[in-house]
Structure formats: C-alpha cells, structure tokens
Coordinates of all heavy atoms in Angstrom, one line a residue:
M87 N -11.8 42.6 25.1 CA -12.9 43.6 25.1 C -14.2 43.0 24.8 O -14.3 42.3 23.8 CB -12.5 44.7 24.1 CG -11.3 45.6 24.4 SD -11.6 46.7 25.8 CE -12.3 48.1 24.9
G88 N -15.1 43.3 25.6 CA -16.5 42.7 25.4 C -17.2 43.6 24.4 O -16.9 44.8 24.2
G89 N -18.2 43.0 23.7 CA -19.0 43.7 22.8 C -20.0 44.6 23.5 O -20.4 44.4 24.6
V90 N -20.2 45.8 22.9 CA -21.2 46.7 23.4 C -22.5 46.6 22.8 O -22.6 46.6 21.5 CB -20.6 48.2 23.2 CG1 -21.6 49.2 23.8 CG2 -19.3 48.3 23.9
P91 N -23.6 46.4 23.5 CA -24.9 46.2 22.9 C -25.4 47.5 22.3 O -25.4 48.6 22.9 CB -25.8 45.9 24.1 CG -25.1 46.3 25.3 CD -23.6 46.3 25.0
V92 N -25.7 47.4 21.0 CA -26.1 48.6 20.2 C -27.5 49.0 20.6 O -27.9 50.1 20.8 CB -25.9 48.4 18.7 CG1 -26.4 49.5 17.9 CG2 -24.5 48.1 18.4
K93 N -28.4 47.9 20.7 CA -29.8 48.2 21.0 C -30.2 47.3 22.2 O -29.7 46.2 22.4 CB -30.6 47.8 19.8 CG -30.7 49.0 18.8 CD -31.9 48.8 17.8 CE -32.1 50.1 17.0 NZ -32.7 49.8 15.7
H94 N -31.1 47.9 22.9 CA -31.6 47.1 24.1 C -32.5 46.0 23.6 O -33.4 46.2 22.7 CB -32.5 48.1 24.9 CG -33.2 47.4 26.1 ND1 -32.5 47.0 27.2 CD2 -34.4 47.0 26.2 CE1 -33.4 46.4 28.0 NE2 -34.6 46.4 27.4
H95 N -32.3 44.8 24.2 CA -33.1 43.6 23.8 C -34.2 43.5 24.9 O -33.8 43.4 26.1 CB -32.3 42.4 23.7 CG -31.3 42.4 22.5 ND1 -30.3 41.4 22.4 CD2 -31.2 43.2 21.5 CE1 -29.7 41.7 21.2 NE2 -30.2 42.7 20.7
S96 N -35.4 43.5 24.5 CA -36.5 43.3 25.5 C -36.5 41.9 26.1 O -35.9 41.0 25.5 CB -37.8 43.6 24.8 OG -38.1 42.6 23.8
K97 N -37.1 41.8 27.2 CA -37.2 40.4 27.9 C -37.8 39.4 26.9 O -37.4 38.2 26.9 CB -38.1 40.5 29.1 CG -37.4 41.1 30.3 CD -38.4 41.2 31.5 CE -37.8 42.0 32.7 NZ -38.7 42.1 33.8
G98 N -38.8 39.8 26.1 CA -39.4 38.9 25.2 C -38.5 38.4 24.1 O -38.4 37.2 23.8
K99 N -37.6 39.3 23.6 CA -36.7 39.0 22.6 C -35.6 38.1 23.1 O -35.2 37.1 22.5 CB -36.1 40.3 22.0 CG -35.4 40.0 20.7 CD -35.3 41.3 19.9 CE -34.8 41.1 18.5 NZ -34.7 42.3 17.7
V100 N -35.1 38.4 24.3 CA -34.1 37.6 25.0 C -34.7 36.2 25.2 O -34.0 35.2 25.0 CB -33.6 38.2 26.3 CG1 -32.8 37.3 27.1 CG2 -32.8 39.5 25.9
G101 N -35.9 36.1 25.7 CA -36.6 34.9 26.0 C -36.8 34.0 24.8 O -36.6 32.8 24.8
R102 N -37.1 34.7 23.7 CA -37.3 33.9 22.5 C -36.0 33.3 22.0 O -35.9 32.2 21.5 CB -37.8 34.9 21.4 CG -39.2 34.5 20.9 CD -39.7 35.5 19.9 NE -40.0 36.8 20.5 CZ -39.8 38.0 19.9 NH1 -39.5 38.0 18.6 NH2 -40.1 39.1 20.5
R103 N -34.9 34.1 22.1 CA -33.6 33.5 21.7 C -33.2 32.4 22.7 O -32.7 31.4 22.2 CB -32.5 34.6 21.8 CG -31.2 34.2 21.3 CD -30.2 35.4 21.2 NE -29.9 35.9 22.5 CZ -29.9 37.2 22.9 NH1 -30.3 38.1 22.0 NH2 -29.6 37.6 24.1
R104 N -33.4 32.6 24.0 CA -33.0 31.5 24.9 C -33.9 30.3 24.9 O -33.6 29.3 25.6 CB -33.0 32.1 26.3 CG -31.8 33.1 26.5 CD -31.7 33.8 27.8 NE -30.6 34.8 27.8 CZ -30.4 35.6 28.8 NH1 -31.2 35.7 29.8 NH2 -29.4 36.5 28.7
S105 N -35.0 30.4 24.2 CA -35.9 29.2 24.1 C -35.2 28.1 23.4 O -35.7 27.0 23.4 CB -37.2 29.6 23.4 OG -37.0 29.9 22.0
H106 N -34.1 28.4 22.7 CA -33.4 27.4 21.9 C -32.2 26.8 22.7 O -31.5 26.0 22.2 CB -32.9 27.9 20.6 CG -34.0 28.4 19.7 ND1 -34.8 27.5 18.9 CD2 -34.5 29.6 19.4 CE1 -35.7 28.2 18.2 NE2 -35.5 29.5 18.5
L107 N -32.0 27.4 23.9 CA -30.8 27.0 24.7 C -31.0 25.8 25.6 O -30.1 25.3 26.2 CB -30.3 28.2 25.5 CG -29.9 29.4 24.7 CD1 -29.4 30.5 25.6 CD2 -28.7 29.1 23.7
A108 N -32.3 25.5 25.8 CA -32.6 24.4 26.8 C -31.9 23.1 26.4 O -31.9 22.8 25.2 CB -34.1 24.3 26.9
L109 N -31.5 22.4 27.4 CA -30.9 21.1 27.1 C -32.0 20.1 26.7 O -33.1 20.2 27.1 CB -30.2 20.5 28.3 CG -28.9 21.2 28.8 CD1 -28.5 20.8 30.2 CD2 -27.8 21.0 27.8
K110 N -31.6 19.2 25.8 CA -32.6 18.2 25.4 C -32.9 17.2 26.5 O -32.0 16.9 27.3 CB -32.0 17.4 24.2 CG -32.2 18.2 22.9 CD -31.5 17.5 21.7 CE -31.4 18.4 20.5 NZ -30.4 18.0 19.6
K111 N -34.1 16.8 26.5 CA -34.5 15.8 27.6 C -33.8 14.5 27.4 O -33.7 14.0 26.3 CB -36.0 15.6 27.4 CG -36.6 15.0 28.7 CD -38.1 14.7 28.5 CE -38.6 13.8 29.5 NZ -40.0 13.3 29.1
K112 N -33.2 14.0 28.5 CA -32.5 12.7 28.4 C -33.5 11.6 28.1 O -34.5 11.5 28.8 CB -31.8 12.5 29.8 CG -30.5 13.3 29.9 CD -30.0 13.2 31.3 CE -28.9 14.2 31.6 NZ -28.8 14.6 33.0
S113 N -33.1 10.8 27.2 CA -34.0 9.7 26.8 C -33.7 8.5 27.8 O -32.6 7.9 27.7 CB -33.8 9.3 25.4 OG -32.4 8.9 25.2
M114 N -34.6 8.2 28.6 CA -34.4 7.1 29.6 C -35.0 5.8 28.9 O -36.1 5.8 28.5 CB -35.2 7.4 30.9 CG -34.5 8.5 31.7 SD -32.8 8.1 32.2 CE -33.2 6.9 33.5
L115 N -34.1 4.8 28.9 CA -34.5 3.6 28.3 C -34.5 2.5 29.4 O -34.0 2.7 30.5 CB -33.6 3.2 27.2 CG -33.4 4.2 26.0 CD1 -32.3 3.7 25.1 CD2 -34.7 4.3 25.2
V116 N -35.1 1.4 29.1 CA -35.1 0.2 30.0 C -34.0 -0.8 29.5 O -34.0 -1.1 28.4 CB -36.5 -0.4 30.1 CG1 -36.4 -1.6 31.0 CG2 -37.5 0.6 30.5
C117 N -33.2 -1.1 30.4 CA -32.1 -2.1 30.1 C -32.7 -3.4 29.7 O -33.5 -4.0 30.4 CB -31.1 -2.2 31.3 SG -29.8 -3.4 31.0
A118 N -32.2 -4.0 28.6 CA -32.7 -5.3 28.2 C -32.1 -6.4 29.0 O -32.7 -7.5 29.1 CB -32.3 -5.5 26.7
N119 N -31.0 -6.1 29.7 CA -30.4 -7.2 30.5 C -31.0 -7.3 31.9 O -31.4 -8.3 32.4 CB -28.9 -6.8 30.6 CG -28.1 -8.0 31.1 OD1 -28.3 -9.2 30.6 ND2 -27.1 -7.8 31.9
C120 N -31.0 -6.1 32.6 CA -31.5 -6.2 34.0 C -32.8 -5.4 34.2 O -33.3 -5.4 35.4 CB -30.4 -5.5 34.9 SG -30.2 -3.8 34.7
K121 N -33.4 -4.9 33.2 CA -34.7 -4.2 33.2 C -34.7 -2.9 34.0 O -35.7 -2.4 34.4 CB -35.8 -5.1 33.7 CG -35.9 -6.5 33.1 CD -36.2 -6.4 31.6 CE -36.3 -7.8 31.0 NZ -36.2 -7.8 29.5
G122 N -33.5 -2.5 34.3 CA -33.3 -1.2 35.1 C -33.3 0.0 34.2 O -33.1 -0.2 33.0
P123 N -33.4 1.2 34.7 CA -33.4 2.4 33.9 C -31.9 2.7 33.4 O -31.0 2.5 34.2 CB -33.8 3.5 34.8 CG -33.5 3.0 36.2 CD -33.6 1.5 36.1
K124 N -31.8 3.0 32.1 CA -30.5 3.4 31.6 C -30.6 4.5 30.6 O -31.7 4.8 30.1 CB -29.9 2.2 30.9 CG -30.5 1.8 29.6 CD -29.9 0.5 29.0 CE -28.7 0.7 28.2 NZ -28.9 1.4 26.9
L125 N -29.5 5.3 30.4 CA -29.5 6.4 29.5 C -29.3 5.8 28.1 O -28.6 4.9 27.9 CB -28.5 7.4 29.8 CG -28.7 8.1 31.2 CD1 -27.4 8.8 31.5 CD2 -29.8 9.1 31.1
G126 N -29.9 6.5 27.1 CA -29.7 6.2 25.7 C -28.2 6.4 25.3 O -27.6 7.4 25.7
H127 N -27.7 5.5 24.5 CA -26.3 5.5 24.0 C -25.3 5.5 25.1 O -24.2 6.0 25.0 CB -26.0 6.8 23.1 CG -27.0 6.8 21.9 ND1 -28.0 7.7 21.8 CD2 -27.0 6.0 20.8 CE1 -28.6 7.5 20.6 NE2 -28.1 6.4 20.1
R128 N -25.7 4.9 26.3 CA -24.8 4.8 27.4 C -24.9 3.4 28.0 O -25.9 2.8 27.8 CB -25.1 5.8 28.5 CG -24.9 7.3 28.2 CD -23.4 7.6 28.3 NE -23.2 9.0 28.1 CZ -23.1 9.6 26.9 NH1 -23.3 8.9 25.8 NH2 -22.9 10.9 26.8
A129 N -23.8 2.9 28.6 CA -23.9 1.6 29.2 C -24.8 1.7 30.4 O -25.0 2.7 31.0 CB -22.5 1.2 29.7
C130 N -25.4 0.6 30.7 CA -26.3 0.5 31.8 C -25.6 0.8 33.1 O -24.5 0.4 33.4 CB -26.9 -0.9 31.9 SG -28.0 -1.1 33.3
I131 N -26.3 1.6 34.0 CA -25.7 2.1 35.2 C -25.5 0.9 36.2 O -24.6 0.8 36.9 CB -26.6 3.1 35.9 CG1 -26.9 4.3 35.0 CG2 -25.9 3.7 37.2 CD1 -28.2 5.0 35.3
Q132 N -26.5 0.0 36.1 CA -26.5 -1.1 37.1 C -25.7 -2.3 36.7 O -24.9 -2.9 37.4 CB -28.0 -1.6 37.3 CG -28.8 -0.5 38.0 CD -30.2 -0.9 38.2 OE1 -30.5 -1.9 38.8 NE2 -31.2 -0.2 37.6
C133 N -25.8 -2.8 35.4 CA -25.1 -4.0 35.0 C -24.0 -3.7 33.9 O -23.3 -4.6 33.6 CB -26.1 -5.0 34.5 SG -26.9 -4.6 32.9
G134 N -24.0 -2.5 33.4 CA -22.9 -2.2 32.4 C -23.2 -2.7 31.0 O -22.4 -2.5 30.1
A135 N -24.4 -3.2 30.7 CA -24.7 -3.7 29.4 C -24.9 -2.5 28.5 O -25.5 -1.5 28.9 CB -26.0 -4.6 29.5
T136 N -24.5 -2.6 27.2 CA -24.6 -1.6 26.3 C -25.7 -1.8 25.3 O -26.0 -1.0 24.4 CB -23.3 -1.4 25.5 OG1 -22.9 -2.6 24.9 CG2 -22.2 -0.9 26.3
G137 N -26.3 -3.0 25.4 CA -27.4 -3.4 24.4 C -26.9 -4.2 23.3 O -27.6 -5.0 22.7
K138 N -25.6 -4.1 23.0 CA -25.0 -5.0 22.0 C -24.6 -6.3 22.6 O -24.2 -6.4 23.8 CB -23.7 -4.3 21.4 CG -24.0 -3.0 20.7 CD -22.7 -2.4 20.3 CE -22.9 -1.0 19.7 NZ -21.7 -0.2 19.5
S139 N -24.6 -7.3 21.7 CA -24.2 -8.7 22.2 C -22.7 -8.7 22.3 O -22.0 -8.6 21.2 CB -24.8 -9.7 21.3 OG -24.3 -9.5 20.0
Q140 N -22.2 -8.9 23.4 CA -20.7 -8.9 23.6 C -20.2 -10.4 23.7 O -20.8 -11.2 24.4 CB -20.3 -8.1 24.9 CG -20.5 -6.6 24.7 CD -20.2 -5.9 25.9 OE1 -20.2 -6.4 27.0 NE2 -20.0 -4.6 25.8
S141 N -19.2 -10.7 22.9 CA -18.7 -12.0 22.8 C -17.8 -12.4 24.1 O -17.8 -13.5 24.5 CB -17.8 -12.2 21.6 OG -16.8 -11.3 21.5
A142 N -17.2 -11.4 24.6 CA -16.3 -11.7 25.8 C -17.0 -11.6 27.1 O -17.6 -10.7 27.5 CB -15.2 -10.6 25.8
Ligands
ZN103 ZN1 -28.7 -3.3 33.0

C-alpha cells in the first residue's frame, strides 16, 4: 500500500526537495601514466593505471 499525500506539495516545494537529488559531478582527472582523461578513484580507461605504483 502506497502512502497517501496528506497535503498538496507545490512545484516550488517539490523542486526545493529535489534540488538535493542531483548526482554529483564526476571528477575528471588526468592520468599520470598516459595523460589521458580518467575518473577519480577509478583505473584509467586507456592504460588501466590506478595512480599507485604497482610492483608487478
Ligand atoms: Zn592512463
């Protein structure tokens, strides 16, 4: 059973609430290995480098 709205929410009130729902902007970084664009906290799309020095 779904909840029944007790009071009507105006467009402004709904919009204000939804102003917090937007996804955060993806932080695009430059790969230190191949200088290509990469996402933060992700391995590089092009060369797979994570930014950490890997021994293997
Ligand atoms: Zn790279």
Side-chain angles (χ1 to χ4, degrees):
M87 293 288 274
V90 178
V92 177
K93 277 198 172 155
H94 174 77
H95 292 170
S96 66
K97 282 180 187 176
K99 195 157 190 177
V100 170
R102 246 177 291 151
R103 184 173 67 230
R104 288 177 186 172
S105 69
H106 299 281
L107 297 180
L109 291 168
K110 281 175 189 154
K111 196 182 164 194
K112 284 170 190 154
S113 60
M114 290 298 286
L115 303 171
V116 177
C117 177
N119 196 43
C120 69
K121 311 296 181 197
K124 72 184 274 289
L125 293 168
H127 303 110
R128 291 282 185 279
C130 177
I131 307 156
Q132 294 177 62
C133 70
T136 53
K138 293 172 186 171
S139 57
Q140 291 176 340
S141 56

